[in-house]
Amino acid sequence: MKTFSVTPNADETSWFVKLENVAPEETYASKDDALAAAEQMAKENTPSKVEIRDKDDNIQDEKRF
């Protein structure tokens, strides 16, 4: 199962979508844009999950596809 994570940068001015929480795949201006992109990537790569993380890298929410 692939894991896509939505994570803010240090000052929360942009959001990253990461595959397996390693290197950023894309950068987005808003959390909603990043989440929508991560969900689309996860749907295209089922079975997958999307983890929404805070600035301290703690998981806030998780969705499975």
Side-chain angles (χ1 to χ4, degrees), residues 12-26:
E12 296 185 33
T13 57
S14 63
W15 291 78
F16 301 115
V17 174
K18 298 180 182 180
L19 175 58
E20 305 298 333
N21 203 26
V22 181
E25 295 284 310
E26 298 286 337

Side-chain angles (χ1 to χ4, degrees), residues 6-17 26-31 34 53 55:
V6 176
T7 309
N9 68 354
D11 56 5
E12 296 185 33
T13 57
S14 63
W15 291 78
F16 301 115
V17 174
E26 298 286 337
T27 303
Y28 298 88
S30 74
K31 180 180 180 179
R53 296 175 172 265
K55 65 179 180 172

Side-chain angles (χ1 to χ4, degrees), residues 1-64:
M1 177 180 295
K2 291 187 177 186
T3 301
F4 296 90
S5 59
V6 176
T7 309
N9 68 354
D11 56 5
E12 296 185 33
T13 57
S14 63
W15 291 78
F16 301 115
V17 174
K18 298 180 182 180
L19 175 58
E20 305 298 333
N21 203 26
V22 181
E25 295 284 310
E26 298 286 337
T27 303
Y28 298 88
S30 74
K31 180 180 180 179
D32 290 338
D33 290 344
L35 184 56
E39 288 177 352
Q40 183 63 37
M41 289 179 208
K43 288 176 185 175
E44 292 172 358
N45 292 283
T46 58
S48 295
K49 66 181 177 177
V50 174
E51 296 176 343
I52 303 161
R53 296 175 172 265
D54 64 15
K55 65 179 180 172
D56 298 319
D57 207 35
N58 297 312
I59 298 172
Q60 300 298 306
D61 194 10
E62 179 179 290
K63 298 180 180 185
R64 293 181 182 266

